[in-house]
């Protein structure tokens, strides 16, 4: 299912206007207009979600499969590739699918509730992927993750998940407190998703289900909403 989600997100992105690869959307101003309309149609617009909740109820789900740029897509898919497979193997295909969609939906809904008057479209899978990271942290706290740190000249360094992922969450928290109004990264959706994922794994599996051995190393990417 992890690889299926990656393939679906990539396919939808390539066929959509954000990729710039589909001639039917035009170029220049026409392409920009098509992108805005596409994001508004399939993404979450908080003001519209709460003004017309029945009509817009599915947008937190559809937004999980829409990405705004190549960097946005590839960053999210790298994280899903690295952390999704092991989490899915532990949960099982069906449970992982429901977990991914449910936590992703609630993460975007939480962001929308905190920005209920915003007219900006919110798209991306990072709320759901953040939930995967939270579950991974609980289930595989000692798993070794290879990270690229700017202050070490991007040399690959291996740390256990219990070091890397809380550090990542702390960065999201700090960034969320500095985010101004307007388009940008939805750090709050990351935090909500991460908390939901960790909490779900904690309640669902309990202490006995945690894997303390270190599995094969995996690279860490950059997550954006």
């Amino acid at each position: 299912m992890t690889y299926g989600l990656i393939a679906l997100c990539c396919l939808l992105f390539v066929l959509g206007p954000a990729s710039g690869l589909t001639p039917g959307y035009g170029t220049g101003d026409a392409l920009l207009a098509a992108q805005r309309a596409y994001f508004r149609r399939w993404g979450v617009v908080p003001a519209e979600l709460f003004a017309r909740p029945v009509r817009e109820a599915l947008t937190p789900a559809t937004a999980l499969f829409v990405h705004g740029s190549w960097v946005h897509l590839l960053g999210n898919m790298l994280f899903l590739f690295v952390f999704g497979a092991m989490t899915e193997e532990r949960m099982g295909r069906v449970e992982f699918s429901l977990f991914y969609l449910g936590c992703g939906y609630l993460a975007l809904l939480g962001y929308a509730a905190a920005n209920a008057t915003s007219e900006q479209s919110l798209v991306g899978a990072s709320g759901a992927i953040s939930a995967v990271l939270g579950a991974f942290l609980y289930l595989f706290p000692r798993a070794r993750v290879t990270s690229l740190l700017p202050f070490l000249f991007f040399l690959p360094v291996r740390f256990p998940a219990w070091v890397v992922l809380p550090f990542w969450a702390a960065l999201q928290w700090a960034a969320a407190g500095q985010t101004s109004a307007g388009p940008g990264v939805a750090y709050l959706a990351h935090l909500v998703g991460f908390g939901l994922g960790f909490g779900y794994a904690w309640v669902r599996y309990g202490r006995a289900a945690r894997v303390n051995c270190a599995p094969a190393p995996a690279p860490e990417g950059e997550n954006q909403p």
Side-chain angles (χ1 to χ4, degrees):
M1 184 55 66
T2 295
Y3 303 134
L5 289 169
I6 292 173
L8 179 59
C9 287
C10 290
L11 177 62
L12 292 176
F13 179 79
V14 169
L15 295 178
S19 69
L21 298 178
T22 306
Y25 289 108
T27 59
D29 291 340
L31 178 60
L32 292 176
Q35 291 173 353
R36 287 192 293 268
Y38 186 81
F39 296 150
R40 199 166 189 87
R41 172 65 181 86
W42 300 109
V44 180
V45 181
E48 294 185 3
L49 176 62
F50 292 106
R52 296 185 292 274
V54 175
R55 177 181 172 183
E56 303 292 324
L58 288 179
T59 56
T62 58
L64 296 175
F65 301 94
V66 179
H67 291 84
S69 67
W70 284 99
V71 172
H72 186 195
L73 173 74
L74 295 176
N76 274 346
M77 293 307 100
L78 177 60
F79 262 69
L80 183 55
F81 175 78
V82 169
F83 296 100
M86 287 179 60
T87 306
E88 179 185 352
E89 182 178 358
R90 180 63 186 85
M91 291 184 175
R93 184 176 301 175
V94 174
E95 182 179 349
F96 177 80
S97 301
L98 295 175
F99 164 81
Y100 181 91
L101 293 174
C103 289
Y105 187 102
L106 292 175
L108 297 188
L109 185 63
Y111 176 89
N115 299 271
T117 61
S118 174
E119 294 285 345
Q120 297 292 336
S121 300
L122 176 64
V123 298
S126 55
I129 296 170
S130 296
V132 173
L133 267 61
F136 187 96
L137 173 61
Y138 184 82
L139 295 172
F140 308 102
R142 297 181 183 271
R144 291 283 176 172
V145 179
T146 301
S147 305
L148 301 178
L149 303 178
F151 56 84
L152 293 179
F153 304 101
F154 295 97
L155 294 175
V157 182
R158 295 179 63 201
F159 291 107
W162 67 265
V163 173
V164 174
L165 294 180
F167 179 71
W168 174 87
L171 291 179
Q172 307 308 300
W173 179 275
Q178 299 175 5
T179 301
S180 58
V185 178
Y187 295 107
L188 180 59
H190 298 184
L191 291 169
V192 173
F194 188 83
L196 287 171
F198 187 89
Y200 176 86
W202 186 4
V203 172
R204 171 68 175 83
Y205 295 101
R207 184 179 298 273
R210 304 179 77 178
V211 177
N212 292 321
C213 59
E220 180 190 3
E222 178 184 359
N223 186 28
Q224 300 181 7

